[in-house]
Amino acid sequence: MSSNLFFIGIDGGGTKCRARLEDANGVLLGEGVSGPANIMRDSDVAKASIINAINTAISIANKTKVTGHITLSQCVVGAGLAGANIEYARNAFEKWQHPFHSLHVLSDLHAACVGAHNGNPGAAIIIGTGSSGTMWEGDSFQDIGGHGFPIGDKASGAWLGLKAVQHTLLCLDELEEKDELAVEICSALQSSCAQDIVAKCAEFNTHHYAALVEKLLPLLYIKQKTVTALFEEGAVYIERMAQRLLANHDHALAMIGGLSNIYSTYFSESIKARLVPCKATPQQGAIYHAKAACNHKEGEK
């Protein structure tokens, strides 16, 4: 493989896009962060986020003057992207006339799983803005969930935020007793008028709902009834997903994402016994995928 090439791993989710730039020997040269990168929801926004994150990483690397001036055309990009598990979204995205040396797309879930187990077989659950799970057998993935918000992504940040808004509207309609959660959501949305809240939420995307989770966490820690019930409902779903992924084999489970540490505490002892820390990041998993794709392509020549 050419030493003039550089490798970039992308972890593109519903809220953030992270880029990691390495040389051919795996040495970290720079990192960048930008906005959402869900290609099923908005591929144009995802493309802009990918370019911005990569440019930031390259800018950092170029300032060191260790490698010389790196250009986009020298970059082999492995892109783990939310929405890439949906075939039509991935096919449309792969038609992009990108400026890179090459682009290798997989889902953010698959990149995270490969990274978590350093390319070895294992299961992973992502629970952040969205939620999904997969089992990597070494040659194929078995996925659960990942159907997208609002019809899927149960237990996720977006799901929790939506449930909190729905509860708040019930309180404002006096169909539920107004509680601390409703007060916090009204404060976050800067209104206690149901019509105003509905109008604001009409413009919401997944990351807007997920951002409301920061209002829920302090209430969870003091065991506020409504918030506790929401997390318990989400935890039942994540436990069932874990049981399904771990059935019929002895591989380990990695939990990934901003809510993973919270939901892990709800697991049964049998699931907790299978938990392992991630060996590498989703960005590194995406680079692993890109290198494997490049090596396979060279082997075909």
Side-chain angles (χ1 to χ4, degrees):
M1 194 176 296
S2 173
S3 61
N4 292 324
L5 294 179
F6 297 88
F7 293 85
I8 292 178
I10 296 291
D11 175 27
T15 302
K16 291 181 181 179
C17 177
R18 297 177 174 85
R20 177 187 176 93
L21 170 63
E22 296 181 356
D23 66 15
N25 295 316
V27 176
L28 174 64
L29 302 176
E31 295 179 294
V33 180
S34 60
N38 186 320
I39 64 173
M40 185 179 73
R41 194 158 297 278
D42 194 324
S43 63
D44 289 335
V45 168
K47 290 171 187 176
S49 295
I50 290 167
I51 292 292
N52 289 340
I54 289 176
N55 280 337
T56 298
I58 288 176
S59 177
I60 291 170
N62 285 341
K63 287 177 182 177
T64 65
K65 298 181 180 179
V66 173
T67 60
H69 186 76
I70 302 171
T71 65
L72 292 175
S73 62
Q74 292 176 276
C75 295
V76 174
V77 179
L81 303 171
N85 58 311
I86 307 301
E87 186 175 0
Y88 83 86
R90 176 173 174 166
N91 289 342
F93 183 80
E94 288 180 329
K95 295 177 182 177
W96 179 23
Q97 298 299 307
H98 60 79
F100 315 122
H101 177 275
S102 58
L103 175 65
H104 308 277
V105 180
L106 70 167
S107 75
D108 57 339
L109 172 63
H110 292 174
C113 186
V114 171
H117 300 288
N118 206 24
N120 295 312
I125 293 175
I126 291 182
I127 182 72
T129 301
S131 68
S132 54
T134 194
M135 175 63 206
W136 169 237
E137 295 284 4
D139 57 1
S140 63
F141 290 97
Q142 175 193 348
D143 295 347
I144 298 177
H147 306 306
F149 180 83
I151 62 172
D153 289 356
K154 186 166 184 175
S156 69
W159 179 85
L160 288 165
L162 176 61
K163 289 291 185 181
V165 171
Q166 291 173 339
H167 169 76
T168 300
L169 291 173
L170 289 173
C171 292
L172 294 178
D173 286 340
E174 298 184 1
L175 297 173
E176 296 280 357
E177 183 178 348
K178 192 171 185 180
D179 57 10
E180 299 97 326
L181 175 58
V183 170
E184 286 295 328
I185 296 302
C186 285
S187 175
L189 299 178
Q190 299 181 324
S191 179
S192 58
C193 171
Q195 289 189 6
D196 287 347
I197 290 174
V198 170
K200 288 184 178 182
C201 290
E203 305 297 324
F204 272 20
N205 210 322
T206 53
H207 58 282
H208 294 107
Y209 284 109
L212 295 174
V213 172
E214 67 179 31
K215 298 294 184 180
L216 276 64
L217 294 180
L219 298 177
L220 176 65
Y221 298 142
I222 64 170
K223 301 186 184 303
Q224 195 277 330
K225 181 176 67 173
T226 309
V227 174
T228 298
L230 283 178
F231 274 90
E232 288 175 346
E233 181 182 350
V236 170
Y237 172 74
I238 299 300
E239 168 82 16
R240 290 176 62 193
M241 181 185 289
Q243 290 177 344
R244 178 72 181 85
L245 290 171
L246 296 179
N248 305 318
H249 62 79
D250 60 359
H251 300 314
L253 170 66
M255 294 290 291
I256 302 157
L259 295 170
S260 59
N261 289 336
I262 294 173
Y263 281 117
S264 296
T265 65
Y266 290 88
F267 278 150
S268 62
E269 292 303 316
S270 62
I271 299 298
K272 287 180 179 178
R274 306 279 290 273
L275 290 175
V276 295
C278 295
K279 292 182 171 64
T281 66
Q283 299 94 298
Q284 290 171 297
I287 290 175
Y288 180 99
H289 171 76
K291 286 184 173 180
C294 282
N295 288 333
H296 178 73
K297 194 170 184 179
E298 288 183 358
E300 290 181 338
K301 294 178 180 179

